[in-house]
Amino acid sequence: EQYGLDLDGEYFLMDLYVVFKQLSEWPPAWALLIDVLDPKRPWTMPFCEKIIGSPWWSALPFVRRSFLSPRHTMIQLETDLPPVAASMNKWFDQIKQSGNSVTQKLVQDFRAIDTEDTKNRFVRGRPMIRLMQQVHARMVQHVFGTACKGSEQTLQKIQKND
Protein backbone atom coordinates (compact mmCIF):
# COMPACT_ATOMS: atom_id res chain seq x y z
CA GLU A 1 0.00 0.00 0.00
CA GLN A 2 2.74 2.38 -0.99
CA TYR A 3 1.46 5.94 -1.56
CA GLY A 4 -2.07 4.84 -0.73
CA LEU A 5 -2.29 2.31 -3.58
CA ASP A 6 -3.94 -1.01 -3.00
CA LEU A 7 -1.46 -3.16 -4.92
CA ASP A 8 -3.55 -6.30 -4.59
CA GLY A 9 -6.91 -4.63 -5.20
CA GLU A 10 -9.15 -5.29 -8.18
CA TYR A 11 -8.61 -1.93 -9.93
CA PHE A 12 -4.83 -2.07 -9.75
CA LEU A 13 -4.71 -5.71 -10.84
CA MET A 14 -6.97 -5.04 -13.83
CA ASP A 15 -4.71 -2.14 -14.87
CA LEU A 16 -1.75 -4.48 -14.46
CA TYR A 17 -3.58 -7.03 -16.61
CA VAL A 18 -3.79 -4.46 -19.44
CA VAL A 19 -0.03 -3.93 -19.18
CA PHE A 20 0.54 -7.70 -19.02
CA LYS A 21 -1.57 -8.29 -22.11
CA GLN A 22 0.14 -5.55 -24.13
CA LEU A 23 3.63 -6.68 -23.16
CA SER A 24 2.85 -10.32 -23.96
CA GLU A 25 1.76 -9.35 -27.48
CA TRP A 26 5.02 -7.65 -28.44
CA PRO A 27 8.16 -9.85 -28.60
CA PRO A 28 10.70 -7.13 -27.70
CA ALA A 29 8.66 -6.44 -24.54
CA TRP A 30 8.82 -10.01 -23.24
CA ALA A 31 11.86 -9.15 -21.13
CA LEU A 32 9.87 -6.29 -19.57
CA LEU A 33 7.08 -8.71 -18.70
CA ILE A 34 9.60 -10.76 -16.74
CA ASP A 35 10.49 -7.60 -14.80
CA VAL A 36 6.86 -6.58 -14.24
CA LEU A 37 6.02 -9.99 -12.77
CA ASP A 38 9.13 -10.30 -10.65
CA PRO A 39 8.32 -12.43 -7.58
CA LYS A 40 9.75 -9.68 -5.35
CA ARG A 41 7.06 -7.23 -6.43
CA PRO A 42 4.10 -6.99 -4.05
CA TRP A 43 1.53 -7.40 -6.82
CA THR A 44 2.91 -10.52 -8.48
CA MET A 45 1.30 -13.22 -6.33
CA PRO A 46 -2.09 -11.42 -6.09
CA PHE A 47 -1.97 -11.03 -9.90
CA CYS A 48 -1.25 -14.72 -10.31
CA GLU A 49 -4.03 -15.79 -7.99
CA LYS A 50 -6.73 -13.24 -8.84
CA ILE A 51 -6.12 -12.70 -12.57
CA ILE A 52 -4.26 -15.67 -14.05
CA GLY A 53 -5.98 -18.09 -11.69
CA SER A 54 -9.43 -16.61 -12.26
CA PRO A 55 -12.10 -18.54 -14.18
CA TRP A 56 -12.28 -15.96 -17.01
CA TRP A 57 -8.55 -15.99 -17.89
CA SER A 58 -7.40 -18.57 -20.41
CA ALA A 59 -3.77 -19.65 -20.68
CA LEU A 60 -4.15 -20.79 -24.28
CA PRO A 61 -3.77 -17.42 -26.07
CA PHE A 62 -0.82 -16.57 -23.83
CA VAL A 63 0.99 -19.88 -24.33
CA ARG A 64 0.15 -20.45 -28.00
CA ARG A 65 1.72 -18.04 -30.41
CA SER A 66 1.77 -17.79 -34.15
CA PHE A 67 5.23 -16.67 -35.12
CA LEU A 68 5.05 -14.73 -38.35
CA SER A 69 7.79 -15.33 -40.82
CA PRO A 70 9.80 -12.22 -41.68
CA ARG A 71 9.44 -10.89 -45.19
CA HIS A 72 12.47 -8.58 -45.20
CA THR A 73 16.12 -8.92 -44.36
CA MET A 74 17.56 -6.58 -41.77
CA ILE A 75 19.34 -4.59 -44.47
CA GLN A 76 16.03 -4.09 -46.28
CA LEU A 77 14.44 -2.98 -43.00
CA GLU A 78 17.28 -0.58 -42.31
CA THR A 79 16.69 0.99 -45.72
CA ASP A 80 12.88 0.94 -45.79
CA LEU A 81 11.91 1.17 -42.11
CA PRO A 82 14.83 2.45 -40.01
CA PRO A 83 12.86 2.71 -36.72
CA VAL A 84 11.74 -0.92 -37.00
CA ALA A 85 15.27 -2.07 -37.78
CA ALA A 86 16.66 -0.06 -34.86
CA SER A 87 14.08 -1.58 -32.52
CA MET A 88 14.87 -5.09 -33.70
CA ASN A 89 18.63 -4.54 -33.41
CA LYS A 90 18.15 -3.24 -29.88
CA TRP A 91 16.08 -6.33 -29.07
CA PHE A 92 18.76 -8.63 -30.51
CA ASP A 93 21.41 -6.86 -28.43
CA GLN A 94 19.30 -7.25 -25.28
CA ILE A 95 18.81 -10.96 -26.00
CA LYS A 96 22.52 -11.40 -26.60
CA GLN A 97 23.41 -9.68 -23.33
CA SER A 98 20.78 -11.20 -21.07
CA GLY A 99 20.11 -14.50 -22.76
CA ASN A 100 21.58 -17.90 -22.19
CA SER A 101 23.94 -19.64 -24.60
CA VAL A 102 21.03 -21.04 -26.64
CA THR A 103 19.44 -17.65 -27.32
CA GLN A 104 22.83 -16.08 -27.97
CA LYS A 105 23.56 -18.75 -30.58
CA LEU A 106 20.11 -18.26 -32.14
CA VAL A 107 20.77 -14.50 -32.50
CA GLN A 108 24.16 -15.24 -34.02
CA ASP A 109 22.61 -17.78 -36.42
CA PHE A 110 19.88 -15.32 -37.40
CA ARG A 111 22.40 -12.59 -38.18
CA ALA A 112 24.56 -14.98 -40.26
CA ILE A 113 21.61 -16.31 -42.25
CA ASP A 114 20.23 -12.79 -42.68
CA THR A 115 23.53 -11.70 -44.23
CA GLU A 116 23.40 -14.73 -46.52
CA ASP A 117 19.77 -14.00 -47.42
CA THR A 118 20.66 -10.43 -48.37
CA LYS A 119 23.24 -11.71 -50.84
CA ASN A 120 20.82 -14.32 -52.24
CA ARG A 121 17.80 -11.97 -52.26
CA PHE A 122 15.81 -14.53 -50.36
CA VAL A 123 14.37 -14.49 -46.82
CA ARG A 124 14.31 -17.61 -44.66
CA GLY A 125 12.00 -17.30 -41.70
CA ARG A 126 13.02 -20.30 -39.63
CA PRO A 127 15.96 -18.65 -37.77
CA MET A 128 13.75 -15.78 -36.57
CA ILE A 129 10.94 -18.17 -35.65
CA ARG A 130 13.33 -20.35 -33.62
CA LEU A 131 14.63 -17.30 -31.81
CA MET A 132 11.13 -16.05 -31.02
CA GLN A 133 10.05 -19.50 -29.82
CA GLN A 134 13.01 -19.68 -27.45
CA VAL A 135 12.48 -16.19 -26.01
CA HIS A 136 8.73 -16.78 -25.73
CA ALA A 137 9.32 -20.07 -23.91
CA ARG A 138 11.58 -18.29 -21.41
CA MET A 139 8.87 -15.70 -20.76
CA VAL A 140 6.13 -18.32 -20.31
CA GLN A 141 8.41 -20.36 -18.04
CA HIS A 142 9.02 -17.26 -15.94
CA VAL A 143 5.32 -16.49 -15.54
CA PHE A 144 4.24 -20.02 -14.63
CA GLY A 145 7.46 -21.39 -13.11
CA THR A 146 8.89 -18.41 -11.25
CA ALA A 147 6.44 -15.54 -10.81
CA CYS A 148 3.38 -17.67 -10.04
CA LYS A 149 5.25 -20.51 -8.36
CA GLY A 150 3.24 -21.66 -5.36
CA SER A 151 -0.08 -20.33 -6.62
CA GLU A 152 -2.56 -23.20 -6.54
CA GLN A 153 -5.04 -21.35 -8.80
CA THR A 154 -2.39 -20.79 -11.46
CA LEU A 155 -1.22 -24.39 -11.27
CA GLN A 156 -4.78 -25.62 -11.79
CA LYS A 157 -5.16 -23.23 -14.72
CA ILE A 158 -2.27 -24.77 -16.66
CA GLN A 159 -3.08 -28.35 -15.70
CA LYS A 160 -6.75 -28.39 -16.70
CA ASN A 161 -7.96 -28.95 -20.25
CA ASP A 162 -9.61 -25.98 -21.95
Side-chain angles (χ1 to χ4, degrees):
E1 293 189 16
Q2 186 178 16
Y3 307 111
L5 291 174
D6 184 12
L7 298 178
D8 62 354
E10 181 180 337
Y11 291 115
F12 178 80
L13 293 177
M14 287 308 291
D15 288 344
L16 184 60
Y17 172 70
V18 171
V19 171
F20 172 85
K21 188 152 176 55
Q22 289 176 343
L23 292 177
S24 68
E25 296 291 325
W26 190 47
W30 291 341
L32 293 173
L33 187 62
I34 289 171
D35 185 46
V36 167
L37 289 182
D38 188 305
K40 294 176 186 154
R41 299 208 185 270
W43 57 74
T44 299
M45 192 52 70
F47 181 81
C48 292
E49 292 177 353
K50 294 178 181 177
I51 302 296
I52 294 178
S54 70
W56 60 266
W57 192 81
S58 174
L60 199 58
F62 175 68
V63 174
R64 264 181 112 180
R65 284 277 175 240
S66 295
F67 297 103
L68 297 177
S69 180
R71 299 178 191 273
H72 304 284
T73 64
M74 287 302 294
I75 291 178
Q76 287 173 321
L77 283 177
E78 288 167 359
T79 304
D80 299 340
L81 299 165
V84 172
S87 176
M88 288 183 71
N89 282 322
K90 184 178 176 183
W91 182 52
F92 294 145
D93 291 342
Q94 287 173 344
I95 292 170
K96 249 184 139 172
Q97 291 173 1
S98 66
N100 58 23
S101 61
V102 174
T103 54
Q104 290 172 353
K105 178 159 178 22
L106 289 171
V107 169
Q108 187 178 12
D109 291 348
F110 168 76
R111 290 200 187 269
I113 289 174
D114 187 65
T115 303
E116 216 175 278
D117 288 350
T118 301
K119 291 176 189 171
N120 298 332
R121 297 181 180 205
F122 181 78
V123 179
R124 289 177 275 184
R126 185 150 325 271
M128 175 62 93
I129 292 171
R130 283 188 184 135
L131 175 62
M132 290 177 69
Q133 287 173 333
Q134 179 70 23
V135 176
H136 181 256
R138 284 184 59 206
M139 185 259 305
V140 169
Q141 191 281 330
H142 173 80
V143 170
F144 289 111
T146 304
C148 296
K149 186 176 184 177
S151 170
E152 191 62 35
Q153 292 92 331
T154 305
L155 181 64
Q156 289 174 3
K157 180 66 73 166
I158 60 172
Q159 288 181 340
K160 77 171 192 163
N161 295 332
D162 275 347

